[in-house]
Amino acid sequence: MTDALFAGLPELEPGSVWLVGAGPGDPGLLTLHAANALRQADVIVHDALVNADCLKLAKPGATLEFAGKRGGKPSPKQRDISLRLVELARAGQRVLRLKGGDPFVFGRGGEEALMLVEHRIPFRIVPGITAGIGGLAYAGIPVTHREINHAVTFLTGHDSSGVVPDRINWEGIAKGSPVIVMYMAMKHIGQISANLIAGGRAPDEPVAFVCNAATPEQVVLETTLSRAEADVAASGIEPPAIVVVGEVVRLRAALDWLGALNGRALAADPFASRILRNPA
């Protein structure tokens, strides 16, 4: 059965690099291409958000190199990581760069791929399930719902200097995007919430933090824009987390399928006749 699964899939050639998304956590969310890469790679350069259970699929004898970047903690420089991929490929290794989520969604995969192009290293991109979709699904929160939103915005909570991006049009997003999904936003949630409220969002709009999404350690905090900073501090939750703002958060009362497996009673009408706000 295993041979049949991988029959006809591409070979990870010596001297080449595959940039692969591992998904938000659960190894079951790996793509077949990702599993195929794991079983072939000589060296796996992985980041901090890759679930250790995914690495168990590596072939015997494969070298595992940690290259994680975590905000506020000592981390390798991005240029050094990219050059390490070049170095390994030039040494004739089959190189797998394994990244949590999707390499092209706030994963710096584009930067690494450009470095490979500059040094004429053959490469392949293997998309993964990004946490902003898959992680929220494991919390029972859909990013779209026909009665709530026809648009969704994905953004990062900090820029390369570690502060809230000043190039984001917060007022435009506040007024134009019914659902906002934020990566790396927990540290600056107070300022971000204030920006959105100043831009026109209601202080009592639902917000959810999904920490360690799609893993056994997943924790979900439901709050509101005005309470988000205080509730995060009181809860003691920590990154990594995906944050979602919008009325779709209320659907968790009906769609928390993991909670239902543990006995939670789901609500057939999560909105309970509430008038939904749609800023778009």
Side-chain angles (χ1 to χ4, degrees), residues 25-27 51 53 138 211-219 258:
D26 186 342
N51 190 330
D53 288 339
Y138 266 56
C211 302
N212 296 306
T215 72
E217 292 75 39
Q218 176 176 295
V219 175
L258 278 175

Side-chain angles (χ1 to χ4, degrees), residues 115-180:
M115 181 69 76
L116 297 174
V117 171
E118 179 182 345
H119 291 273
R120 301 182 183 277
I121 303 297
F123 69 97
R124 174 183 287 266
I125 305 298
V126 178
I129 299 175
T130 183
I133 296 174
L136 294 182
Y138 266 56
I141 301 171
V143 292
T144 66
H145 187 278
R146 285 196 305 167
E147 295 181 12
I148 298 172
N149 65 310
H150 295 90
V152 58
T153 295
F154 295 89
L155 60 85
T156 177
H158 67 75
D159 60 20
S160 58
S161 63
V163 300
V164 176
D166 57 10
R167 290 184 292 178
I168 290 178
N169 183 347
W170 293 102
E171 181 178 0
I173 290 174
K175 292 180 178 178
S177 185
V179 174
I180 306 166

Side-chain angles (χ1 to χ4, degrees), residues 101-115:
D102 181 282
F104 277 6
V105 181
F106 302 117
R108 309 194 187 202
E111 298 172 48
E112 294 172 1
L114 287 172
M115 181 69 76

Side-chain angles (χ1 to χ4, degrees), residues 27-39:
L29 298 180
L30 286 166
T31 65
L32 196 54
H33 276 311
N36 183 43
L38 281 161
R39 69 196 287 267

